[in-house]
Amino acid sequence: MPDRPSIPFSEPPYLAGLPSPYYSPSHLKWQKACRAFIDENLNQYALDWEREEKVPPEVFQKFAAANMLIPTLPAPLPVEWLKRLGVHDILGAVKVEDWDYLHTAIYTDEMSRSGLSGPGASLTTGMSYGVPPIIKFGSQDLQERFLPDLLLGKKRICIAITEPDAGSDVANIQTAAVKTDDGKHYIVNGAKKWITNGIWSAYATMAVRTSGPGPGGLSLLMVPLLGQAGVSMRPLKCSGQASGGTTYIELDDVHVPVSNLIGQEGMGMKYIMTNFNHERLIIAVGVTRGARVALAAAFEYCLKREAFGMTLMDQPVVRHRLAKCGAMLESQWAWIEQFVYQMTKLSKAEADVELGGLTALAKAQAGIVLDECARCAVLLFGGNGYTKTGQGEIVERIYRDVPGARIPGGSEDVLLDLSVRQLVKNYKNKTKLLERPRGSSKL
């Protein structure tokens, strides 16, 4: 049991002293070490850095030196590579070969415990989404050239998919990569927009069009950014996630070696969709923690704020509003835990098929839950929740983060539709396997 009672809804049930079937001693040991490091080096400063719209560069270096960017990679971790680089455990708490998706979820939850998505995203987005395609699909030569610096945090990377005219419609990407006559380089022209971490990144794992229209014309390419001729980058001001380094990238005749191709030409759409599953699950975990921070802040405020001669908590309508959001929040978290546990039991190939559609649904639902909890918190804080400073600052900022939860990684309506289409596809495929081929009856 915790040393002291926690504010209702402020912690996942397993950290509030309740039993759980999911967490082993390894997970609990990791959670304690993880929280201590992240609270010391990130969460206690997160609100200040969000106000300043920038996390100091030395924070990234501190996380890199402690190998605390590696936990955002998909599980299982790239053990062979990590051991080659001298990384055998994380914070002395978990051996890299023992790492599973529950360890990843704990890390993501702790990185989001300030309630603000910007500070954590400024550190982890590139490692989380830009590095995995190199590990999974990159040639040995590509891995040897880039992974040592990227895994150890000596260089930064971003994932660059979205364009001014192609967001969730990934198949409509127009940034072109055309081979030179000698076949040694791609010449890249186009633009990428809303790229988290881009402004600080040496490289981008970039979706480009290497052939005709549609998904079959897409490829993934490692594109140099900082200091590269033909690349210009500028920060974008968004309503939330102010410290995340959201970037607009323009590419004008950028020469990229053909050897920087990730995997095979024309396979980019498949690689992107596989990568999206990890991205959406990570977003769902972090966004659900953001909803928890907002709702817990409102709960605590309602215990002390007085109106009409009584505390807000003494008002039935307030308790009703908190209860509805609490039910949504804890239902979402229970689903997330179940989801992550399933990831520990399925192979990557199985999970992509069985959980791909549901991952999209979980991410979409996380945004819906955050919207409800953040709106509830702002309303219960009243004028304080509408003010950028003071008692309600954190809920006001979380509310501005809501669109950043519901749009990136696949916009909400697109993901709701995708989830059902994927479930229908799986059902039809499984049903077809049960059908007896024509002429096979012996009757």
Side-chain angles (χ1 to χ4, degrees), residues 1-3 14-17 23-40 68 90-94 103 106-107 109-110 113:
M1 294 290 289
D3 295 335
Y14 88 99
L15 292 178
Y23 301 95
S24 70
S26 171
H27 298 122
L28 299 177
K29 180 181 179 182
W30 165 242
Q31 186 276 328
K32 287 184 173 64
C34 186
R35 175 165 294 190
F37 182 91
I38 293 171
D39 279 357
E40 179 183 352
M68 276 295 281
I90 309 296
L91 295 184
V94 190
H103 293 102
I106 290 167
Y107 171 84
D109 184 55
E110 294 295 332
R113 210 164 69 86

PDB file of all heavy atoms in Angstrom, residues 1-3 14-17 23-40 68 90-94 103 106-107 109-110 113:
ATOM      1  N   MET A   1       0.840  -1.201   0.000  1.00  0.00           N
ATOM      2  CA  MET A   1       0.000   0.000   0.000  1.00  0.00           C
ATOM      3  C   MET A   1       0.880   1.258   0.000  1.00  0.00           C
ATOM      4  O   MET A   1       1.969   1.261   0.559  1.00  0.00           O
ATOM      5  CB  MET A   1      -0.898   0.018   1.238  1.00  0.00           C
ATOM      6  CG  MET A   1      -1.933  -1.087   1.282  1.00  0.00           C
ATOM      7  SD  MET A   1      -3.256  -0.878   0.054  1.00  0.00           S
ATOM      8  CE  MET A   1      -4.145   0.509   0.728  1.00  0.00           C
ATOM      9  N   PRO A   2       0.396   2.350  -0.614  1.00  0.00           N
ATOM     10  CA  PRO A   2       1.150   3.603  -0.590  1.00  0.00           C
ATOM     11  C   PRO A   2       1.297   4.130   0.836  1.00  0.00           C
ATOM     12  O   PRO A   2       0.508   3.793   1.724  1.00  0.00           O
ATOM     13  CB  PRO A   2       0.287   4.542  -1.445  1.00  0.00           C
ATOM     14  CG  PRO A   2      -0.659   3.678  -2.202  1.00  0.00           C
ATOM     15  CD  PRO A   2      -0.854   2.458  -1.390  1.00  0.00           C
ATOM     16  N   ASP A   3       2.318   4.985   1.071  1.00  0.00           N
ATOM     17  CA  ASP A   3       2.552   5.549   2.394  1.00  0.00           C
ATOM     18  C   ASP A   3       1.386   6.420   2.842  1.00  0.00           C
ATOM     19  O   ASP A   3       1.076   6.507   4.032  1.00  0.00           O
ATOM     20  CB  ASP A   3       3.839   6.380   2.390  1.00  0.00           C
ATOM     21  CG  ASP A   3       5.077   5.529   2.146  1.00  0.00           C
ATOM     22  OD1 ASP A   3       5.008   4.325   2.460  1.00  0.00           O
ATOM     23  OD2 ASP A   3       6.078   6.063   1.643  1.00  0.00           O
ATOM     24  N   TYR A  14      -3.104   0.031  -9.696  1.00  0.00           N
ATOM     25  CA  TYR A  14      -1.997  -0.775  -9.178  1.00  0.00           C
ATOM     26  C   TYR A  14      -1.026   0.051  -8.346  1.00  0.00           C
ATOM     27  O   TYR A  14      -0.285  -0.494  -7.512  1.00  0.00           O
ATOM     28  CB  TYR A  14      -1.270  -1.495 -10.324  1.00  0.00           C
ATOM     29  CG  TYR A  14      -0.147  -0.739 -10.990  1.00  0.00           C
ATOM     30  CD1 TYR A  14       1.180  -0.977 -10.653  1.00  0.00           C
ATOM     31  CD2 TYR A  14      -0.408   0.207 -11.982  1.00  0.00           C
ATOM     32  CE1 TYR A  14       2.222  -0.290 -11.272  1.00  0.00           C
ATOM     33  CE2 TYR A  14       0.621   0.892 -12.609  1.00  0.00           C
ATOM     34  CZ  TYR A  14       1.935   0.644 -12.245  1.00  0.00           C
ATOM     35  OH  TYR A  14       2.962   1.322 -12.864  1.00  0.00           O
ATOM     36  N   LEU A  15      -1.016   1.379  -8.526  1.00  0.00           N
ATOM     37  CA  LEU A  15      -0.183   2.259  -7.712  1.00  0.00           C
ATOM     38  C   LEU A  15      -0.953   2.871  -6.544  1.00  0.00           C
ATOM     39  O   LEU A  15      -0.369   3.585  -5.729  1.00  0.00           O
ATOM     40  CB  LEU A  15       0.406   3.382  -8.577  1.00  0.00           C
ATOM     41  CG  LEU A  15       1.439   2.945  -9.617  1.00  0.00           C
ATOM     42  CD1 LEU A  15       1.901   4.140 -10.445  1.00  0.00           C
ATOM     43  CD2 LEU A  15       2.629   2.257  -8.958  1.00  0.00           C
ATOM     44  N   ALA A  16      -2.249   2.599  -6.484  1.00  0.00           N
ATOM     45  CA  ALA A  16      -3.070   3.104  -5.381  1.00  0.00           C
ATOM     46  C   ALA A  16      -3.304   2.021  -4.332  1.00  0.00           C
ATOM     47  O   ALA A  16      -4.182   2.156  -3.479  1.00  0.00           O
ATOM     48  CB  ALA A  16      -4.400   3.622  -5.918  1.00  0.00           C
ATOM     49  N   GLY A  17      -2.528   0.931  -4.424  1.00  0.00           N
ATOM     50  CA  GLY A  17      -2.605  -0.120  -3.420  1.00  0.00           C
ATOM     51  C   GLY A  17      -3.529  -1.261  -3.757  1.00  0.00           C
ATOM     52  O   GLY A  17      -3.735  -2.157  -2.920  1.00  0.00           O
ATOM     53  N   TYR A  23       1.290  -6.878 -13.178  1.00  0.00           N
ATOM     54  CA  TYR A  23       2.606  -6.336 -12.853  1.00  0.00           C
ATOM     55  C   TYR A  23       3.409  -7.292 -11.979  1.00  0.00           C
ATOM     56  O   TYR A  23       3.002  -7.645 -10.869  1.00  0.00           O
ATOM     57  CB  TYR A  23       2.458  -4.974 -12.161  1.00  0.00           C
ATOM     58  CG  TYR A  23       1.718  -3.981 -13.022  1.00  0.00           C
ATOM     59  CD1 TYR A  23       0.343  -3.786 -12.871  1.00  0.00           C
ATOM     60  CD2 TYR A  23       2.377  -3.265 -14.012  1.00  0.00           C
ATOM     61  CE1 TYR A  23      -0.343  -2.887 -13.674  1.00  0.00           C
ATOM     62  CE2 TYR A  23       1.702  -2.371 -14.817  1.00  0.00           C
ATOM     63  CZ  TYR A  23       0.337  -2.183 -14.656  1.00  0.00           C
ATOM     64  OH  TYR A  23      -0.343  -1.306 -15.460  1.00  0.00           O
ATOM     65  N   SER A  24       4.571  -7.675 -12.484  1.00  0.00           N
ATOM     66  CA  SER A  24       5.485  -8.555 -11.764  1.00  0.00           C
ATOM     67  C   SER A  24       6.395  -7.717 -10.874  1.00  0.00           C
ATOM     68  O   SER A  24       6.429  -6.479 -10.980  1.00  0.00           O
ATOM     69  CB  SER A  24       6.329  -9.343 -12.765  1.00  0.00           C
ATOM     70  OG  SER A  24       7.247  -8.472 -13.416  1.00  0.00           O
ATOM     71  N   PRO A  25       7.181  -8.362  -9.996  1.00  0.00           N
ATOM     72  CA  PRO A  25       8.177  -7.598  -9.224  1.00  0.00           C
ATOM     73  C   PRO A  25       9.113  -6.783 -10.107  1.00  0.00           C
ATOM     74  O   PRO A  25       9.530  -5.682  -9.733  1.00  0.00           O
ATOM     75  CB  PRO A  25       8.924  -8.695  -8.460  1.00  0.00           C
ATOM     76  CG  PRO A  25       7.904  -9.772  -8.272  1.00  0.00           C
ATOM     77  CD  PRO A  25       7.087  -9.765  -9.533  1.00  0.00           C
ATOM     78  N   SER A  26       9.448  -7.293 -11.291  1.00  0.00           N
ATOM     79  CA  SER A  26      10.295  -6.538 -12.223  1.00  0.00           C
ATOM     80  C   SER A  26       9.630  -5.234 -12.637  1.00  0.00           C
ATOM     81  O   SER A  26      10.278  -4.180 -12.695  1.00  0.00           O
ATOM     82  CB  SER A  26      10.596  -7.388 -13.461  1.00  0.00           C
ATOM     83  OG  SER A  26      11.238  -6.620 -14.461  1.00  0.00           O
ATOM     84  N   HIS A  27       8.334  -5.276 -12.926  1.00  0.00           N
ATOM     85  CA  HIS A  27       7.610  -4.069 -13.332  1.00  0.00           C
ATOM     86  C   HIS A  27       7.536  -3.068 -12.181  1.00  0.00           C
ATOM     87  O   HIS A  27       7.711  -1.859 -12.386  1.00  0.00           O
ATOM     88  CB  HIS A  27       6.206  -4.427 -13.808  1.00  0.00           C
ATOM     89  CG  HIS A  27       6.177  -5.324 -14.998  1.00  0.00           C
ATOM     90  ND1 HIS A  27       5.536  -6.552 -14.990  1.00  0.00           N
ATOM     91  CD2 HIS A  27       6.743  -5.213 -16.228  1.00  0.00           C
ATOM     92  CE1 HIS A  27       5.693  -7.131 -16.167  1.00  0.00           C
ATOM     93  NE2 HIS A  27       6.418  -6.336 -16.935  1.00  0.00           N
ATOM     94  N   LEU A  28       7.285  -3.560 -10.966  1.00  0.00           N
ATOM     95  CA  LEU A  28       7.152  -2.670  -9.817  1.00  0.00           C
ATOM     96  C   LEU A  28       8.493  -2.028  -9.464  1.00  0.00           C
ATOM     97  O   LEU A  28       8.554  -0.839  -9.108  1.00  0.00           O
ATOM     98  CB  LEU A  28       6.583  -3.436  -8.630  1.00  0.00           C
ATOM     99  CG  LEU A  28       5.176  -4.027  -8.851  1.00  0.00           C
ATOM    100  CD1 LEU A  28       4.739  -4.820  -7.634  1.00  0.00           C
ATOM    101  CD2 LEU A  28       4.161  -2.943  -9.182  1.00  0.00           C
ATOM    102  N   LYS A  29       9.571  -2.796  -9.573  1.00  0.00           N
ATOM    103  CA  LYS A  29      10.907  -2.247  -9.330  1.00  0.00           C
ATOM    104  C   LYS A  29      11.227  -1.168 -10.369  1.00  0.00           C
ATOM    105  O   LYS A  29      11.769  -0.103 -10.046  1.00  0.00           O
ATOM    106  CB  LYS A  29      11.942  -3.371  -9.393  1.00  0.00           C
ATOM    107  CG  LYS A  29      13.380  -2.911  -9.157  1.00  0.00           C
ATOM    108  CD  LYS A  29      14.350  -4.082  -9.259  1.00  0.00           C
ATOM    109  CE  LYS A  29      15.797  -3.636  -9.044  1.00  0.00           C
ATOM    110  NZ  LYS A  29      16.750  -4.774  -9.184  1.00  0.00           N
ATOM    111  N   TRP A  30      10.884  -1.435 -11.618  1.00  0.00           N
ATOM    112  CA  TRP A  30      11.126  -0.472 -12.687  1.00  0.00           C
ATOM    113  C   TRP A  30      10.325   0.807 -12.463  1.00  0.00           C
ATOM    114  O   TRP A  30      10.842   1.912 -12.642  1.00  0.00           O
ATOM    115  CB  TRP A  30      10.791  -1.084 -14.040  1.00  0.00           C
ATOM    116  CG  TRP A  30      10.659  -0.107 -15.160  1.00  0.00           C
ATOM    117  CD1 TRP A  30       9.544   0.134 -15.902  1.00  0.00           C
ATOM    118  CD2 TRP A  30      11.668   0.778 -15.662  1.00  0.00           C
ATOM    119  NE1 TRP A  30       9.784   1.105 -16.834  1.00  0.00           N
ATOM    120  CE2 TRP A  30      11.077   1.521 -16.714  1.00  0.00           C
ATOM    121  CE3 TRP A  30      12.997   1.008 -15.332  1.00  0.00           C
ATOM    122  CZ2 TRP A  30      11.790   2.476 -17.423  1.00  0.00           C
ATOM    123  CZ3 TRP A  30      13.702   1.976 -16.039  1.00  0.00           C
ATOM    124  CH2 TRP A  30      13.100   2.692 -17.080  1.00  0.00           C
ATOM    125  N   GLN A  31       9.079   0.672 -12.046  1.00  0.00           N
ATOM    126  CA  GLN A  31       8.234   1.843 -11.848  1.00  0.00           C
ATOM    127  C   GLN A  31       8.848   2.791 -10.812  1.00  0.00           C
ATOM    128  O   GLN A  31       8.877   4.008 -11.008  1.00  0.00           O
ATOM    129  CB  GLN A  31       6.822   1.413 -11.426  1.00  0.00           C
ATOM    130  CG  GLN A  31       5.822   2.562 -11.335  1.00  0.00           C
ATOM    131  CD  GLN A  31       5.878   3.292 -10.002  1.00  0.00           C
ATOM    132  OE1 GLN A  31       6.165   2.697  -8.962  1.00  0.00           O
ATOM    133  NE2 GLN A  31       5.611   4.597 -10.036  1.00  0.00           N
ATOM    134  N   LYS A  32       9.357   2.238  -9.730  1.00  0.00           N
ATOM    135  CA  LYS A  32       9.958   3.077  -8.687  1.00  0.00           C
ATOM    136  C   LYS A  32      11.203   3.799  -9.211  1.00  0.00           C
ATOM    137  O   LYS A  32      11.373   5.009  -8.997  1.00  0.00           O
ATOM    138  CB  LYS A  32      10.310   2.226  -7.467  1.00  0.00           C
ATOM    139  CG  LYS A  32       9.112   1.770  -6.642  1.00  0.00           C
ATOM    140  CD  LYS A  32       9.555   1.010  -5.412  1.00  0.00           C
ATOM    141  CE  LYS A  32       8.383   0.684  -4.488  1.00  0.00           C
ATOM    142  NZ  LYS A  32       7.411  -0.207  -5.107  1.00  0.00           N
ATOM    143  N   ALA A  33      12.080   3.073  -9.886  1.00  0.00           N
ATOM    144  CA  ALA A  33      13.299   3.688 -10.418  1.00  0.00           C
ATOM    145  C   ALA A  33      12.972   4.709 -11.492  1.00  0.00           C
ATOM    146  O   ALA A  33      13.568   5.798 -11.553  1.00  0.00           O
ATOM    147  CB  ALA A  33      14.224   2.604 -10.983  1.00  0.00           C
ATOM    148  N   CYS A  34      12.015   4.368 -12.329  1.00  0.00           N
ATOM    149  CA  CYS A  34      11.598   5.242 -13.425  1.00  0.00           C
ATOM    150  C   CYS A  34      11.022   6.545 -12.889  1.00  0.00           C
ATOM    151  O   CYS A  34      11.403   7.643 -13.315  1.00  0.00           O
ATOM    152  CB  CYS A  34      10.570   4.488 -14.276  1.00  0.00           C
ATOM    153  SG  CYS A  34      10.052   5.327 -15.769  1.00  0.00           S
ATOM    154  N   ARG A  35      10.118   6.442 -11.923  1.00  0.00           N
ATOM    155  CA  ARG A  35       9.500   7.650 -11.370  1.00  0.00           C
ATOM    156  C   ARG A  35      10.537   8.551 -10.720  1.00  0.00           C
ATOM    157  O   ARG A  35      10.504   9.783 -10.894  1.00  0.00           O
ATOM    158  CB  ARG A  35       8.402   7.297 -10.371  1.00  0.00           C
ATOM    159  CG  ARG A  35       7.808   8.522  -9.676  1.00  0.00           C
ATOM    160  CD  ARG A  35       6.511   8.247  -8.963  1.00  0.00           C
ATOM    161  NE  ARG A  35       5.435   7.906  -9.883  1.00  0.00           N
ATOM    162  CZ  ARG A  35       4.155   7.803  -9.522  1.00  0.00           C
ATOM    163  NH1 ARG A  35       3.794   8.039  -8.267  1.00  0.00           N
ATOM    164  NH2 ARG A  35       3.230   7.483 -10.415  1.00  0.00           N
ATOM    165  N   ALA A  36      11.456   7.962  -9.963  1.00  0.00           N
ATOM    166  CA  ALA A  36      12.469   8.775  -9.284  1.00  0.00           C
ATOM    167  C   ALA A  36      13.299   9.563 -10.291  1.00  0.00           C
ATOM    168  O   ALA A  36      13.545  10.766 -10.110  1.00  0.00           O
ATOM    169  CB  ALA A  36      13.361   7.876  -8.429  1.00  0.00           C
ATOM    170  N   PHE A  37      13.722   8.912 -11.379  1.00  0.00           N
ATOM    171  CA  PHE A  37      14.554   9.589 -12.376  1.00  0.00           C
ATOM    172  C   PHE A  37      13.762  10.675 -13.105  1.00  0.00           C
ATOM    173  O   PHE A  37      14.242  11.804 -13.288  1.00  0.00           O
ATOM    174  CB  PHE A  37      15.095   8.575 -13.385  1.00  0.00           C
ATOM    175  CG  PHE A  37      15.995   9.187 -14.423  1.00  0.00           C
ATOM    176  CD1 PHE A  37      17.359   9.264 -14.220  1.00  0.00           C
ATOM    177  CD2 PHE A  37      15.476   9.702 -15.607  1.00  0.00           C
ATOM    178  CE1 PHE A  37      18.197   9.853 -15.172  1.00  0.00           C
ATOM    179  CE2 PHE A  37      16.288  10.290 -16.566  1.00  0.00           C
ATOM    180  CZ  PHE A  37      17.651  10.365 -16.345  1.00  0.00           C
ATOM    181  N   ILE A  38      12.559  10.346 -13.536  1.00  0.00           N
ATOM    182  CA  ILE A  38      11.777  11.284 -14.348  1.00  0.00           C
ATOM    183  C   ILE A  38      11.292  12.461 -13.516  1.00  0.00           C
ATOM    184  O   ILE A  38      11.274  13.609 -13.988  1.00  0.00           O
ATOM    185  CB  ILE A  38      10.615  10.543 -15.044  1.00  0.00           C
ATOM    186  CG1 ILE A  38      11.172   9.562 -16.080  1.00  0.00           C
ATOM    187  CG2 ILE A  38       9.657  11.522 -15.707  1.00  0.00           C
ATOM    188  CD1 ILE A  38      10.143   8.624 -16.676  1.00  0.00           C
ATOM    189  N   ASP A  39      10.902  12.214 -12.272  1.00  0.00           N
ATOM    190  CA  ASP A  39      10.503  13.332 -11.417  1.00  0.00           C
ATOM    191  C   ASP A  39      11.673  14.287 -11.186  1.00  0.00           C
ATOM    192  O   ASP A  39      11.507  15.513 -11.219  1.00  0.00           O
ATOM    193  CB  ASP A  39       9.989  12.814 -10.074  1.00  0.00           C
ATOM    194  CG  ASP A  39       8.542  12.348 -10.142  1.00  0.00           C
ATOM    195  OD1 ASP A  39       7.929  12.485 -11.218  1.00  0.00           O
ATOM    196  OD2 ASP A  39       8.031  11.845  -9.128  1.00  0.00           O
ATOM    197  N   GLU A  40      12.857  13.729 -10.969  1.00  0.00           N
ATOM    198  CA  GLU A  40      14.026  14.557 -10.694  1.00  0.00           C
ATOM    199  C   GLU A  40      14.461  15.364 -11.912  1.00  0.00           C
ATOM    200  O   GLU A  40      14.845  16.535 -11.788  1.00  0.00           O
ATOM    201  CB  GLU A  40      15.187  13.685 -10.220  1.00  0.00           C
ATOM    202  CG  GLU A  40      16.467  14.473  -9.940  1.00  0.00           C
ATOM    203  CD  GLU A  40      17.645  13.594  -9.546  1.00  0.00           C
ATOM    204  OE1 GLU A  40      17.447  12.381  -9.331  1.00  0.00           O
ATOM    205  OE2 GLU A  40      18.782  14.122  -9.462  1.00  0.00           O
ATOM    206  N   MET A  68      17.881   6.567 -20.868  1.00  0.00           N
ATOM    207  CA  MET A  68      16.460   6.717 -20.565  1.00  0.00           C
ATOM    208  C   MET A  68      15.638   7.228 -21.745  1.00  0.00           C
ATOM    209  O   MET A  68      14.491   7.655 -21.579  1.00  0.00           O
ATOM    210  CB  MET A  68      16.284   7.622 -19.351  1.00  0.00           C
ATOM    211  CG  MET A  68      16.433   6.866 -18.040  1.00  0.00           C
ATOM    212  SD  MET A  68      15.113   5.634 -17.802  1.00  0.00           S
ATOM    213  CE  MET A  68      13.768   6.698 -17.258  1.00  0.00           C
ATOM    214  N   ILE A  90      18.536  -0.929 -17.848  1.00  0.00           N
ATOM    215  CA  ILE A  90      18.028   0.439 -17.771  1.00  0.00           C
ATOM    216  C   ILE A  90      17.922   0.814 -16.296  1.00  0.00           C
ATOM    217  O   ILE A  90      17.186   0.177 -15.528  1.00  0.00           O
ATOM    218  CB  ILE A  90      16.650   0.577 -18.454  1.00  0.00           C
ATOM    219  CG1 ILE A  90      16.666  -0.011 -19.872  1.00  0.00           C
ATOM    220  CG2 ILE A  90      16.231   2.042 -18.480  1.00  0.00           C
ATOM    221  CD1 ILE A  90      17.577   0.683 -20.844  1.00  0.00           C
ATOM    222  N   LEU A  91      18.691   1.819 -15.896  1.00  0.00           N
ATOM    223  CA  LEU A  91      18.738   2.320 -14.519  1.00  0.00           C
ATOM    224  C   LEU A  91      19.090   1.240 -13.504  1.00  0.00           C
ATOM    225  O   LEU A  91      18.758   1.361 -12.310  1.00  0.00           O
ATOM    226  CB  LEU A  91      17.402   2.973 -14.129  1.00  0.00           C
ATOM    227  CG  LEU A  91      16.994   4.242 -14.869  1.00  0.00           C
ATOM    228  CD1 LEU A  91      15.701   4.802 -14.283  1.00  0.00           C
ATOM    229  CD2 LEU A  91      18.088   5.311 -14.822  1.00  0.00           C
ATOM    230  N   GLY A  92      19.715   0.164 -13.952  1.00  0.00           N
ATOM    231  CA  GLY A  92      20.036  -0.920 -13.051  1.00  0.00           C
ATOM    232  C   GLY A  92      18.825  -1.692 -12.568  1.00  0.00           C
ATOM    233  O   GLY A  92      18.950  -2.576 -11.708  1.00  0.00           O
ATOM    234  N   ALA A  93      17.653  -1.385 -13.113  1.00  0.00           N
ATOM    235  CA  ALA A  93      16.402  -1.986 -12.628  1.00  0.00           C
ATOM    236  C   ALA A  93      15.925  -3.142 -13.487  1.00  0.00           C
ATOM    237  O   ALA A  93      15.334  -4.101 -12.983  1.00  0.00           O
ATOM    238  CB  ALA A  93      15.313  -0.925 -12.547  1.00  0.00           C
ATOM    239  N   VAL A  94      16.160  -3.056 -14.805  1.00  0.00           N
ATOM    240  CA  VAL A  94      15.663  -4.072 -15.723  1.00  0.00           C
ATOM    241  C   VAL A  94      16.744  -4.396 -16.749  1.00  0.00           C
ATOM    242  O   VAL A  94      17.283  -3.480 -17.385  1.00  0.00           O
ATOM    243  CB  VAL A  94      14.399  -3.603 -16.494  1.00  0.00           C
ATOM    244  CG1 VAL A  94      13.763  -4.771 -17.257  1.00  0.00           C
ATOM    245  CG2 VAL A  94      13.388  -2.962 -15.572  1.00  0.00           C
ATOM    246  N   HIS A 103       6.786  -2.760 -19.259  1.00  0.00           N
ATOM    247  CA  HIS A 103       7.837  -1.816 -18.876  1.00  0.00           C
ATOM    248  C   HIS A 103       7.721  -0.536 -19.718  1.00  0.00           C
ATOM    249  O   HIS A 103       7.883   0.584 -19.203  1.00  0.00           O
ATOM    250  CB  HIS A 103       9.224  -2.435 -19.088  1.00  0.00           C
ATOM    251  CG  HIS A 103       9.525  -3.590 -18.178  1.00  0.00           C
ATOM    252  ND1 HIS A 103       9.446  -4.901 -18.600  1.00  0.00           N
ATOM    253  CD2 HIS A 103       9.917  -3.631 -16.890  1.00  0.00           C
ATOM    254  CE1 HIS A 103       9.784  -5.693 -17.595  1.00  0.00           C
ATOM    255  NE2 HIS A 103      10.078  -4.962 -16.545  1.00  0.00           N
ATOM    256  N   ILE A 106       4.769   1.582 -18.496  1.00  0.00           N
ATOM    257  CA  ILE A 106       5.096   2.262 -17.238  1.00  0.00           C
ATOM    258  C   ILE A 106       5.934   3.513 -17.520  1.00  0.00           C
ATOM    259  O   ILE A 106       5.664   4.596 -16.984  1.00  0.00           O
ATOM    260  CB  ILE A 106       5.842   1.297 -16.294  1.00  0.00           C
ATOM    261  CG1 ILE A 106       4.887   0.216 -15.785  1.00  0.00           C
ATOM    262  CG2 ILE A 106       6.469   2.060 -15.117  1.00  0.00           C
ATOM    263  CD1 ILE A 106       5.577  -0.947 -15.107  1.00  0.00           C
ATOM    264  N   TYR A 107       6.935   3.368 -18.381  1.00  0.00           N
ATOM    265  CA  TYR A 107       7.779   4.506 -18.752  1.00  0.00           C
ATOM    266  C   TYR A 107       6.943   5.622 -19.383  1.00  0.00           C
ATOM    267  O   TYR A 107       7.077   6.808 -19.019  1.00  0.00           O
ATOM    268  CB  TYR A 107       8.848   4.034 -19.729  1.00  0.00           C
ATOM    269  CG  TYR A 107       9.674   5.123 -20.368  1.00  0.00           C
ATOM    270  CD1 TYR A 107      10.779   5.655 -19.711  1.00  0.00           C
ATOM    271  CD2 TYR A 107       9.376   5.611 -21.642  1.00  0.00           C
ATOM    272  CE1 TYR A 107      11.559   6.644 -20.301  1.00  0.00           C
ATOM    273  CE2 TYR A 107      10.140   6.594 -22.239  1.00  0.00           C
ATOM    274  CZ  TYR A 107      11.231   7.108 -21.573  1.00  0.00           C
ATOM    275  OH  TYR A 107      11.992   8.082 -22.166  1.00  0.00           O
ATOM    276  N   ASP A 109       3.735   6.214 -19.134  1.00  0.00           N
ATOM    277  CA  ASP A 109       2.847   6.785 -18.128  1.00  0.00           C
ATOM    278  C   ASP A 109       3.609   7.761 -17.227  1.00  0.00           C
ATOM    279  O   ASP A 109       3.130   8.872 -16.950  1.00  0.00           O
ATOM    280  CB  ASP A 109       2.239   5.652 -17.300  1.00  0.00           C
ATOM    281  CG  ASP A 109       1.226   6.142 -16.283  1.00  0.00           C
ATOM    282  OD1 ASP A 109       0.271   6.828 -16.675  1.00  0.00           O
ATOM    283  OD2 ASP A 109       1.382   5.828 -15.081  1.00  0.00           O
ATOM    284  N   GLU A 110       4.797   7.378 -16.796  1.00  0.00           N
ATOM    285  CA  GLU A 110       5.586   8.248 -15.925  1.00  0.00           C
ATOM    286  C   GLU A 110       6.061   9.495 -16.664  1.00  0.00           C
ATOM    287  O   GLU A 110       6.113  10.588 -16.091  1.00  0.00           O
ATOM    288  CB  GLU A 110       6.781   7.482 -15.343  1.00  0.00           C
ATOM    289  CG  GLU A 110       6.401   6.353 -14.391  1.00  0.00           C
ATOM    290  CD  GLU A 110       5.716   6.842 -13.124  1.00  0.00           C
ATOM    291  OE1 GLU A 110       5.968   7.991 -12.700  1.00  0.00           O
ATOM    292  OE2 GLU A 110       4.921   6.075 -12.557  1.00  0.00           O
ATOM    293  N   ARG A 113       3.365  12.199 -16.531  1.00  0.00           N
ATOM    294  CA  ARG A 113       2.740  12.448 -15.227  1.00  0.00           C
ATOM    295  C   ARG A 113       2.647  13.922 -14.875  1.00  0.00           C
ATOM    296  O   ARG A 113       1.930  14.288 -13.934  1.00  0.00           O
ATOM    297  CB  ARG A 113       3.491  11.677 -14.135  1.00  0.00           C
ATOM    298  CG  ARG A 113       2.604  11.258 -12.966  1.00  0.00           C
ATOM    299  CD  ARG A 113       3.272  10.190 -12.121  1.00  0.00           C
ATOM    300  NE  ARG A 113       4.410  10.708 -11.395  1.00  0.00           N
ATOM    301  CZ  ARG A 113       4.347  11.296 -10.206  1.00  0.00           C
ATOM    302  NH1 ARG A 113       3.174  11.436  -9.618  1.00  0.00           N
ATOM    303  NH2 ARG A 113       5.425  11.729  -9.610  1.00  0.00           N
TER     304      ARG A 113
END
